[in-house]
Amino acid sequence: MSSAWQFSPSQDTPGSDSYRVTISHPGSIEKGTPIDLRVIKDSNNMPSVYYAVVKSVYCYDEVCKIDPVTIYWNSIGEYLRYELPPDVYLEKYEGEAFVKTDYEKLDRILHDENSPFKDLKIDEITASYSRHIEEGIDAISGATIVDLDESSTIEGSSLTCYTLWHWANGSIKDKIQEITAKNLSSNQLLHLLNNSEAYQSFAIKHLIVRKAYGEKIIRHMMAYSSQASKVNLNEFVKYAEGAPVDIYFNMIDELMPKANSMQRVSYLSSLRKTSYSIPNGYYTKISYQLADYLNYQEVDLLISLIEDKNEINSEVLQNVFLLLDKEILVARRAYYFLINQQLNKEQSKQLNKFYKKNKDYL
């Protein structure tokens, strides 16, 4: 028997606001579902926790029991937990009630942002249920269209898991981040750089949106870049690339001498793809750091930049010659650059000496 589902949001919590948002859910035949999204604020009147009451399952064959489930998210839309009203319990396909281990497993499933449900369409789940009716087979058995690992779903309740997973991890996350960002100042976003990687990414993303390039913010961001993870280093580079031209080049110029290998690769890659006009002598100045570069990728990027921009002069040549004493992969890249340049007599002699010594590796 199906049961009608009526939206009945939880009572208001002191210090909370309510937002009417429209969410796209892949299980719904509607283009958008209106949801009352509530936010609980902390002692500083900042968004802390969001929650909303949602359908437990999307079902169109009149056999599903549909219950209200309250889902909670943190201030950047990461799933926290779910709750059921005291008199409500979830069911499996044939009316079998969830047991404690099922509820615990559901929580684990909803916490998994990379769940197989992420890439499934609801038709792939419902087709399995139809076959269950026709052939009496289990909804997650190997005979169904959907082949889910036992750890990825709850036997007999894949449709509920699918529905709730997309509520917990779907497009509502963007809505939550949008609301949180509107409630935070740029300085408050900067404070989030001391939080988890996800919060850092959120902060940088919205500093870019705001085009926040005041001197204080730039200084804070540059200090942060030295400790950023690989993922958020890329986000920081996007921040730098969005800056006005003079600020962009000044940031890279200041950061390069103190950067590690991973950071230098990111900065040099950014310079190679930038559409900004390069200041005169910019790469000549950077070329003085070549001898300190640790690996082939860094050297190749900078030499390629110098070739692309045709910024070749006596200073650059002198700095590239120093690479002939490095390990052979780096030295060979320097050699093939230098062999195509106009060299003086002494330089030609030095390059020929390198060739005779290393010709078996060139």
Side-chain angles (χ1 to χ4, degrees), residues 136-334:
I137 54 180
D138 181 76
I140 63 163
S141 71
T144 64
I145 292 176
V146 181
D147 186 15
L148 292 171
D149 185 85
E150 184 180 349
S151 64
S152 301
T153 190
I154 296 172
E155 184 175 350
S157 193
S158 293
L159 194 55
T160 296
C161 293
Y162 175 89
T163 301
L164 291 176
W165 187 90
H166 279 281
W167 279 125
N169 298 280
S171 61
I172 199 166
K173 182 173 185 176
D174 292 333
K175 298 289 185 181
I176 290 173
Q177 290 197 358
E178 180 183 331
I179 294 168
T180 296
K182 287 181 179 178
N183 280 273
L184 297 181
S185 68
S186 294
N187 283 336
Q188 287 168 325
L189 287 173
L190 286 177
H191 286 306
L192 295 182
L193 296 178
N194 298 320
N195 212 309
S196 68
E197 185 176 284
Y199 275 93
Q200 293 168 16
S201 180
F202 166 80
I204 298 170
K205 172 184 174 182
H206 287 282
L207 288 169
I208 293 171
V209 170
R210 294 181 185 189
K211 299 186 182 300
Y213 294 103
E215 184 176 353
K216 178 183 175 182
I217 294 176
I218 291 171
R219 285 291 154 200
H220 201 117
M221 289 293 289
M222 289 177 67
Y224 163 77
S225 69
S226 65
Q227 57 188 344
S229 66
K230 185 175 183 179
V231 170
N232 283 338
L233 177 62
N234 292 332
E235 294 300 309
F236 166 77
V237 170
K238 291 177 185 177
Y239 171 80
E241 290 171 345
V245 57
D246 54 335
I247 292 177
Y248 168 69
F249 284 113
N250 286 340
M251 288 175 71
I252 301 298
D253 186 36
E254 186 173 334
L255 288 168
M256 283 290 286
K258 300 174 285 188
N260 60 32
S261 180
M262 180 181 73
Q263 292 160 359
R264 282 194 293 260
V265 167
S266 293
Y267 302 151
L268 290 168
S269 297
S270 175
L271 287 169
R272 195 165 190 199
K273 70 180 184 181
T274 186
S275 58
Y276 286 147
S277 296
I278 310 299
N280 291 333
Y282 193 79
Y283 294 122
T284 298
K285 183 177 180 180
I286 295 179
S287 74
Y288 279 92
Q289 302 168 32
L290 265 171
D292 298 324
Y293 285 9
L294 301 176
N295 63 42
Y296 171 82
Q297 188 179 12
E298 300 168 73
V299 170
D300 178 59
L301 276 169
L302 181 51
I303 292 180
S304 295
L305 273 168
I306 291 169
E307 290 172 326
D308 292 345
K309 308 305 178 182
N310 197 30
E311 190 172 317
I312 302 170
N313 53 47
S314 60
E315 292 175 87
V316 169
L317 293 177
Q318 174 185 321
N319 292 327
V320 175
F321 261 101
L322 296 176
L323 298 178
L324 295 178
D325 293 327
K326 298 286 187 178
E327 57 96 10
I328 189 60
L329 195 62
V330 170
R332 185 168 60 190
R333 178 65 177 95

